[in-house]
Amino acid sequence: MATPVATTGPVTATATAAQPATTSVTPQGGILEGVLPNVWNPSNPINLFIIQIGARGPWMRLSRRVASALYRSTVDYIIIILCRLLHYPLSRLGQPRVIAEVIGGILLGPSVLSRIPHFKENILPTDSLPVLNNVANIGLVLFLFLIGLEVDLRLFISNWRVALSVGLGGLCLPFALGYAVAWGIYNQFQEEITSNVNFGVFGLFVGTALGITAFPVLCRILSELNLLGNSVGVTVLAAGVGNDVVGWILLALSVALVNNSNGLTALYVLLVAVGWLLFLVFAVRPVFHWALRKTGSIQNGPTQGMIAVTLLLVLMSAWFTSIIGVHAIFGAFLVGLICPHDGGFAIKVTEKIEDLITVLFIPLYFAFSGLSTDLGLLNDGITWAYVIAIIVVAFSGKIIGGTVAAKLNGLVWRESLTIGVLMSCKGLVELIVLNVGLQANILSRKTFTMFVVMALVTTVTTTPLTKLLYPPWYRVKLEKWKRGEIDWDGNSLMNKDSEGAEAPEKVHDANIRRLLIYLRLDSLPSLFTFISLLGEEHAAKTVTASSTTDVDAAAPLIKKRPLEVHALRIVELTERTSTVMKVTEGEDAARRDPVVNAVRTFSQLNDVAVSGSVVVAPEESYPETVSTHASEQKSDFVLIPWSEIGSTTEDQSISYRVSSEDRFTGKSHLDFIRNTLSKAVCTTGIFISNGFSGIAPVEKSRNAFSRTLSITSLRSHKEAALPPIVDKSHHVFLVYVGGADDRAALRFVLQLAKNPHVTATIAHLTFTDGEDEITTIPENSLEDPSPLKHVINTEVTAQDTSFLATTRSSLSSDLGARVSFTQVSVSPTSASGRVLEVAGEYVGRNRRNAGDIVVVGRRHSQLPTSGKGPEQSSAVYDMQRTIGVLGEKVAMSGLRASVLIIQAGGKDLDL
């Protein structure tokens, strides 16, 4: 055994003075009972450890025994890896990360792995546990600070009526039922509970444990289920804030009562805790906020100095609440509450420290907690009967209380029941509460394990029950019912006469009226150009000379602007807490988002009706989000720009260059495009920009450095101002093969051609076995294609030819002057190469215009696709699966033109 480091006289005297108390109950009143805060206490090392972190002086000297334990604490690797491995399969089942961490801790403990001979001695030696305990408790303190940051009291205040009623209903009933079940647990397992814990304190703690709601896990569940924007999400969040705050106060009360030998000391502890709270709110908070504004930390993000000040406040508050007999986590939580949410300060602080806490510290805490969880102690029928009783009480109290309170606030029964289920979520917060109770000797190891099982069951079942009770189809139905569009049975309440009057017009009108655009920062110039081109169609009011007055002559031209644009911006929901905070604090985010506002301003200046929305969703939910919004907006066309960097993320502050190969090989982006097209509810276009709107591609726009440039001249070199585009024309080249996609593409091109700045060429491909040749179609006739000898659908071909002839003959003289038709006879094997040759004759010829476009349909059964073999490039195969054969050939070619790939959907499939 290593020799301990010699201690000084005063510390030894203090330790000796405190020693008699170990014969009964160790004084827990802290400095109020004469115990110095710098005394090493193995069962509660957090006090000295905080001093060691803050002092950086003599307290940093560790004995050889502690250093050896620190060396052996490489078990951290095992803990983190185990938690990550468990999280992957559980996340596929919709379970939060806390489930994997709790199960990982249980596996490492005496329930599973520690039963293996010599496992505990070699992997979790006793000497290493104090170090593990220190690190885990520091992580816990910082995590409670993050929970305090996540709690936005403004949400509670703005919805205080429903928040107060649902919060009280979801707290009082489970608290009362918990107090009742605590009586049976206390009497059944009394011999295992510390003698200084009376039933009053035990019942208070059990009621608190069953009444509390896991606010962080609740936020993530609501975000992943896309419930934050409706009445259920707002109600649960607002009620969860109040429930969380009251729960921590009750927990502090429980710890204060059990940690003090008499009621008078407990009263002093509570008064000091309240005084500390008031000191933080009325003395520290104003000075702290003033310092943040003085340093620009609210406006521009926290500086490094203010991050240091914030963390020192956390440690100081945690240290103070610990030495007065209240747990250290309560002090850290209070500092999180007083931090401002203005300017996203709370989010930015969270972003700086969350990864270290959630990846390293919290798994260590749950591993340490798992050492106290022994499922082997649940070894008889009466014990399992009480486990089931605890689970039933936890569910029934929360669900009944929350449901009744929500129903009294005017929500329907199914909404109310969903709120009750969500309020029953325990998660991480419950495990923290239980560990506090175990450390305070309120719970024995057996009762602790019983409540851990309850926490796991309630957390695991929250997401499946919510999906069952409140599925997406029911939300859509309920929203329509609340808007008065349908009755409760789903029957439409709209005026059928007006619908019937509009039906013929809708059948004959194939123009795009409602356009949904998927917003990306790197694609705004292209999207702006499309909005201006599609919105340019107008009809002038006819005015006769005899009826014209001077006032009428000065009247502006009346324009018809049928286009409605809905801008959809999707922000990725990651595992980080900060992204969830962006959702919960992002009330009315669409009106403050700079990208949406840019589209809104541009559209209004171009006389286009516009709306916008910002959605925070996991990356795998992007396709479903796009299709859902297209359905809700009743969009005719969805325009999705291809990423300039080949990725769905947009978090880079400075744009960087990528090669053409990298742009088209990003797996996540290819999956997003492919899945979006598979879920499309209307006609969808994938736009790959290449110098559209007059802006050259990033990869080709930068010239090589001149050898004559010095470092000084290079720094002072400024880019010349770009002059306005004089030639605002665009030429559109459409490859028409046949099928629903090509027919939709033809209608889209003709609508673009109504803009006076757009000219178009329609190239009709016909298939022969002879030599390929190009034939210009006479203006007054449309020749029938040559007989096809390959296996294709002749009915579709005849329909397509008839559609093309009918469309061309119905063009107005003005539109016909800007649209030309060309017929190209090709064989299927050479069609792709021939298309590039013909397209090169029409697009990219005018280098001073605003950019040309090649439009192709996505699906062509006549064209051969490339197989994925050992010698075949997977990039070509994946691109053809995503945007079709012609789309891949044109996009990967050297044509100086952008590419638009169109897939028909919705009403375009019937035209």
Side-chain angles (χ1 to χ4, degrees):
M1 181 175 180
T3 304
V5 178
T7 57
T8 60
V11 175
T12 304
T14 305
T16 305
Q19 186 176 0
T22 59
T23 57
S24 55
V25 178
T26 304
Q28 297 293 326
I31 59 175
L32 299 180
E33 293 190 5
V35 179
L36 294 179
N38 60 350
V39 174
W40 171 260
N41 185 356
S43 64
N44 186 26
I46 191 66
N47 292 347
L48 183 58
F49 196 67
I50 291 177
I51 296 177
Q52 291 172 342
I53 292 178
R56 292 179 177 264
W59 300 109
M60 296 299 291
R61 301 189 185 98
L62 300 176
S63 66
R64 286 178 295 173
R65 179 180 177 183
V66 175
S68 176
L70 184 60
Y71 172 78
R72 283 178 288 180
S73 66
T74 52
V75 66
D76 300 354
Y77 295 107
I78 299 175
I79 296 170
I80 296 174
I81 292 174
L82 180 60
C83 292
R84 286 287 161 178
L85 290 177
L86 289 171
H87 174 58
Y88 180 76
L90 291 173
S91 63
R92 299 297 178 182
L93 301 176
Q95 296 301 326
R97 186 175 57 239
V98 62
I99 297 299
E101 293 167 343
V102 174
I103 295 177
I106 293 176
L107 291 179
L108 287 173
S111 301
V112 183
L113 294 179
S114 291
R115 291 181 177 270
I116 300 175
H118 307 296
F119 177 86
K120 189 176 187 302
E121 291 81 0
N122 291 281
I123 302 300
L124 293 169
T126 304
D127 291 344
S128 69
L129 295 184
V131 177
L132 181 63
N133 187 27
N134 281 338
V135 178
N137 278 280
I138 280 293
L140 180 62
V141 167
L142 293 177
F143 184 75
L144 262 294
F145 167 64
L146 290 185
I147 293 180
L149 286 175
E150 197 171 356
V151 173
D152 189 356
L153 294 177
R154 297 175 301 182
L155 183 63
F156 179 84
I157 295 173
S158 60
N159 303 275
W160 70 271
R161 291 183 182 274
V162 64
L164 186 62
S165 56
V166 175
L168 287 177
L171 180 64
C172 294
L173 183 58
F175 184 88
L177 294 177
Y179 215 97
V181 77
W183 183 84
I185 298 174
Y186 184 83
N187 288 281
Q188 179 66 36
F189 306 102
Q190 189 171 10
E191 67 279 359
E192 301 181 11
I193 301 175
T194 308
S195 58
N196 68 319
V197 177
N198 55 48
F199 172 69
V201 175
F202 185 80
L204 176 63
F205 177 83
V206 172
T208 303
L210 295 182
I212 203 166
T213 297
F215 186 76
V217 179
L218 186 62
C219 291
R220 175 154 297 277
I221 291 175
L222 291 173
S223 301
E224 292 178 348
L225 298 181
N226 197 22
L227 293 176
L228 288 171
N230 58 20
S231 56
V232 170
V234 173
T235 301
V236 170
L237 278 182
V241 169
N243 191 290
D244 212 29
V245 174
V246 174
W248 287 114
I249 293 175
L250 291 176
L251 177 63
L253 177 62
S254 303
V255 175
L257 289 174
V258 75
N259 279 348
N260 296 278
S261 55
N262 58 73
L264 185 61
T265 304
L267 178 61
Y268 287 156
V269 170
L270 291 177
L271 291 177
V272 173
V274 172
W276 178 249
L277 171 62
L278 297 176
F279 176 75
L280 288 176
V281 172
F282 295 104
V284 176
R285 181 175 177 271
V287 177
F288 181 51
H289 286 204
W290 173 85
L292 292 175
R293 288 186 169 86
K294 192 70 174 177
T295 58
S297 296
I298 292 182
Q299 300 88 343
N300 307 316
T303 63
Q304 191 177 59
M306 291 312 300
I307 286 290
V309 171
T310 304
L311 293 179
L312 285 175
L313 278 177
V314 173
L315 295 177
M316 179 186 67
S317 182
W319 177 72
F320 183 81
T321 54
S322 180
I323 65 174
I324 64 173
V326 181
H327 202 283
I329 61 175
F330 186 67
F333 178 75
L334 293 179
V335 175
L337 289 181
I338 68 171
C339 286
H341 289 258
D342 300 334
F345 175 80
I347 297 176
K348 293 170 184 176
V349 172
T350 303
E351 289 175 338
K352 292 183 180 297
I353 63 176
E354 61 180 335
D355 284 345
L356 180 65
I357 296 172
T358 56
V359 173
L360 177 63
F361 287 139
I362 293 302
L364 296 182
Y365 177 78
F366 280 111
F368 194 80
S369 172
L371 299 178
S372 303
T373 306
D374 188 358
L375 296 177
L377 297 176
L378 310 180
N379 52 7
D380 53 39
I382 190 65
T383 302
W384 278 105
Y386 273 106
V387 170
I388 296 174
I390 293 172
I391 295 173
V392 171
V393 168
F395 269 124
S396 60
K398 278 289 187 180
I399 293 177
I400 295 174
T403 300
V404 173
K407 181 60 180 175
L408 293 177
N409 280 276
L411 279 74
V412 300
W413 276 112
R414 199 160 179 173
E415 280 183 310
S416 304
L417 188 59
T418 304
I419 290 174
V421 169
L422 287 168
M423 293 293 290
S424 68
C425 179
K426 300 299 182 184
L428 179 61
V429 172
E430 179 71 14
L431 270 295
I432 294 174
V433 170
L434 296 178
N435 276 279
V436 170
L438 180 64
Q439 294 174 5
N441 294 322
I442 300 175
L443 297 177
S444 63
R445 289 187 62 187
K446 176 179 282 191
T447 54
F448 172 80
T449 304
M450 294 164 59
F451 280 93
V452 167
V453 174
M454 176 273 297
L456 277 174
V457 172
T458 53
T459 306
V460 166
T461 55
T462 299
T463 299
L465 285 177
T466 303
K467 290 181 178 179
L468 179 65
L469 290 171
Y470 206 56
W473 66 264
Y474 181 78
R475 301 176 217 164
V476 174
K477 172 187 173 182
L478 192 61
E479 289 297 324
K480 290 183 178 180
W481 176 75
K482 290 183 177 180
R483 292 195 300 261
E485 298 178 6
I486 60 173
D487 60 18
W488 188 251
D489 295 327
N491 301 317
S492 176
L493 299 178
M494 302 295 292
N495 191 333
K496 297 183 179 180
D497 295 335
S498 62
E499 289 183 349
E502 293 178 1
E505 179 184 352
K506 291 182 179 180
V507 171
H508 294 291
D509 188 3
N511 284 347
I512 297 173
R513 293 288 182 256
R514 295 184 178 91
L515 173 66
L516 174 69
I517 57 175
Y518 169 62
L519 290 183
R520 288 187 57 88
L521 282 171
D522 53 10
S523 304
L524 283 183
S526 302
L527 295 175
F528 286 165
T529 305
F530 264 112
I531 292 174
S532 64
L533 293 179
L534 291 173
E536 188 67 22
E537 178 190 358
H538 63 271
K541 181 180 179 181
T542 303
V543 183
T544 62
S546 59
S547 62
T548 303
T549 62
D550 294 339
V551 177
D552 293 332
L557 187 68
I558 299 177
K559 296 183 178 181
K560 180 184 178 182
R561 297 285 184 173
L563 185 65
E564 297 178 11
V565 174
H566 181 76
L568 172 63
R569 177 162 164 79
I570 306 180
V571 180
E572 184 181 4
L573 175 66
T574 65
E575 294 182 351
R576 292 180 171 88
T577 304
S578 55
T579 60
V580 182
M581 294 173 66
K582 291 177 183 177
V583 183
T584 57
E585 297 187 16
E587 182 181 359
D588 204 13
R591 294 192 175 276
R592 295 185 287 107
D593 186 83
V595 181
V596 175
N597 282 333
V599 176
R600 182 180 290 113
T601 302
F602 180 85
S603 300
Q604 289 179 326
L605 290 176
N606 285 271
D607 300 332
V608 173
V610 62
S611 61
S613 59
V614 177
V615 177
V616 181
E619 186 177 8
E620 59 271 13
S621 299
Y622 281 18
E624 183 178 355
T625 302
V626 173
S627 62
T628 300
H629 276 73
S631 178
E632 292 176 352
Q633 298 295 326
K634 299 179 181 178
S635 302
D636 303 319
F637 194 90
V638 175
L639 182 61
I640 302 176
W642 193 281
S643 169
E644 295 289 343
I645 60 174
S647 172
T648 55
T649 60
E650 291 187 286
D651 56 356
Q652 62 274 4
S653 57
I654 299 178
S655 300
Y656 51 87
R657 295 191 300 166
V658 296
S659 64
S660 298
E661 181 181 357
D662 292 335
R663 185 185 182 191
F664 297 118
T665 55
K667 185 180 183 303
S668 62
H669 194 257
L670 288 172
D671 291 341
F672 162 65
I673 297 294
R674 191 160 47 244
N675 293 333
T676 302
L677 291 173
S678 66
K679 297 177 182 293
V681 295
C682 64
T683 301
T684 303
I686 308 300
F687 184 71
I688 304 175
S689 178
N690 182 21
F692 195 59
S693 71
I695 298 178
V698 176
E699 185 181 8
K700 301 179 181 179
S701 62
R702 183 174 179 177
N703 297 325
F705 290 124
S706 172
R707 292 181 181 270
T708 60
L709 289 177
S710 65
I711 297 298
T712 304
S713 62
L714 182 63
R715 290 177 177 174
S716 61
H717 177 71
K718 295 182 180 179
E719 181 183 359
L722 293 175
I725 299 176
V726 178
D727 185 358
K728 295 181 173 59
S729 65
H730 304 270
H731 190 78
V732 181
F733 181 82
L734 169 64
V735 181
Y736 187 86
V737 179
D741 293 351
D742 283 10
R743 293 194 296 271
L746 177 59
R747 287 188 290 268
F748 181 82
V749 169
L750 293 179
Q751 182 170 354
L752 282 179
K754 293 179 181 179
N755 189 293
H757 297 296
V758 177
T759 57
T761 299
I762 314 309
H764 183 201
L765 264 62
T766 60
F767 294 89
T768 66
D769 282 340
E771 296 294 330
D772 296 340
E773 60 181 12
I774 302 175
T775 305
T776 301
I777 299 179
E779 293 184 357
N780 57 357
S781 66
L782 184 66
E783 297 180 357
D784 292 334
S786 302
L788 302 180
K789 296 184 180 180
H790 293 273
V791 181
I792 60 173
N793 191 324
T794 56
E795 292 185 0
V796 174
T797 304
Q799 178 186 357
D800 293 328
T801 303
S802 174
F803 178 80
L804 183 61
T806 304
T807 301
R808 181 177 182 274
S809 62
S810 64
L811 297 181
S812 64
S813 58
D814 182 52
L815 186 58
R818 294 195 299 273
V819 179
S820 62
F821 292 81
T822 298
Q823 182 171 304
V824 183
S825 297
V826 299
S827 65
T829 56
S830 63
S832 300
R834 207 58 163 145
V835 165
L836 296 180
E837 293 179 11
V838 178
E841 299 179 4
Y842 291 94
V843 298
R845 315 296 292 181
N846 184 1
R847 294 182 175 272
R848 296 183 179 275
N849 71 347
D852 298 336
I853 312 174
V854 177
V855 181
V856 298
R858 178 176 180 247
R859 298 166 294 192
H860 300 107
S861 59
Q862 300 94 327
L863 301 179
T865 59
S866 300
K868 187 177 183 182
E871 71 286 350
Q872 177 65 37
S873 172
S874 60
V876 174
Y877 175 77
D878 291 337
M879 282 289 288
Q880 289 185 356
R881 288 180 56 214
T882 305
I883 58 177
V885 177
L886 287 180
E888 181 271 329
K889 293 296 182 182
V890 178
M892 305 294 282
S893 69
L895 287 176
R896 188 180 178 272
S898 302
V899 189
L900 178 64
I901 302 95
I902 291 181
Q903 174 183 288
K907 66 179 184 181
D908 283 337
L909 292 175
D910 302 326
L911 295 177

